[in-house]
Amino acid sequence: MRNISLLLALLCCLLPPALADTIGSRRAEAEVMPDGTLAVSTRFLTKLTPSLSEALEQGVVLGFRLEFELTKPRTTSYYLSLREWFDPHAQLAFKLSYQPLTGRYRVTIGSLSNYYPTLREALSALGAIQGWRVLNPGTLDPKKPGQVAGQVRLLLDIGDLPKPFQMNALGSDDWSLDSGWIKLDVKDAG
């Protein structure tokens, strides 16, 4: 019995460092706009694993994906799921890279890029978005924001890595970063 409790205590000591290399949510809000769209604003706290940090420093571009999914009203979310074949209803791609000649980090969203002097600042820009319109106009009733619910998540896009790194990433916790689905705090724009 004493050996079992000692083993459990040892496992508890080992778990926190393994869980520390994740993506946490600092902000997940949405507003129902007068035109029936939903404007999402998010901010995440991202920490890379040692393997991902090393790959980044060696020139590997890390792709991250911010996903949105409408969960309520049920009929609208069901229709959107069928239309998108069960993929998230909206997504944005972020790319994080290191520029060794300048010693700066670059975060790219689509064709827009920003440069950051430190990794910490670059990581804080991943998944940070303000007023992202995720639905078509007229999808939601702007008079009923309390009947709207959704969720977001930020994850490392393993499919965006070079092929040799994709093989390393399969089944490896060191190459897996995901915030999990986070419920949005929906507010009325009016």
Side-chain angles (χ1 to χ4, degrees):
M1 186 71 146
R2 185 175 176 206
N3 289 341
I4 292 173
S5 62
L6 183 61
L7 181 62
L8 287 175
L10 181 61
L11 284 175
C12 288
C13 290
L14 294 176
L15 283 180
L19 295 176
D21 300 318
T22 60
I23 301 173
S25 172
R26 294 180 63 200
R27 178 180 179 199
E29 299 173 348
E31 289 183 64
V32 179
M33 304 308 286
D35 65 353
T37 61
L38 193 66
V40 173
S41 299
T42 61
R43 184 166 293 278
F44 293 87
L45 181 61
T46 305
K47 186 174 179 187
L48 298 181
T49 64
S51 295
L52 287 171
S53 293
E54 184 179 327
L56 180 65
E57 298 294 326
Q58 296 297 324
V60 175
V61 177
L62 301 178
F64 288 83
R65 199 170 58 236
L66 177 62
E67 299 178 343
F68 162 79
E69 184 174 72
L70 184 70
T71 57
K72 190 172 145 190
R74 300 258 186 247
T75 54
T76 307
S77 66
Y78 180 73
Y79 167 73
L80 288 172
S81 293
L82 286 177
R83 192 181 78 193
E84 300 295 328
W85 292 98
F86 302 103
D87 280 340
H89 305 311
Q91 58 185 3
L92 281 176
F94 290 79
K95 295 196 183 300
L96 173 64
S97 60
Y98 177 66
Q99 311 294 311
L101 291 176
T102 60
R104 296 187 306 170
Y105 296 87
R106 182 174 69 185
V107 175
T108 305
I109 307 170
S111 62
L112 301 173
S113 293
N114 279 336
Y115 291 89
Y116 301 91
T118 66
L119 179 59
R120 183 173 170 234
E121 290 175 277
L123 289 173
S124 70
L126 289 176
I129 199 81
Q130 177 73 32
W132 175 35
R133 301 289 178 109
V134 293
L135 299 172
N136 291 329
T139 302
L140 301 173
D141 184 353
K143 296 179 182 125
K144 300 179 182 178
Q147 295 180 357
V148 176
Q151 55 189 11
V152 292
R153 75 175 176 176
L154 180 67
L155 66 148
L156 177 68
D157 190 355
I158 295 172
D160 207 24
L161 293 170
K163 295 290 183 205
F165 291 98
Q166 288 181 20
M167 298 304 291
N168 287 344
L170 292 175
S172 172
D173 289 339
D174 244 13
W175 288 81
S176 176
L177 287 181
D178 189 339
S179 68
W181 287 105
I182 299 156
K183 186 177 176 182
L184 287 169
D185 179 21
V186 181
K187 299 177 181 187
D188 184 6

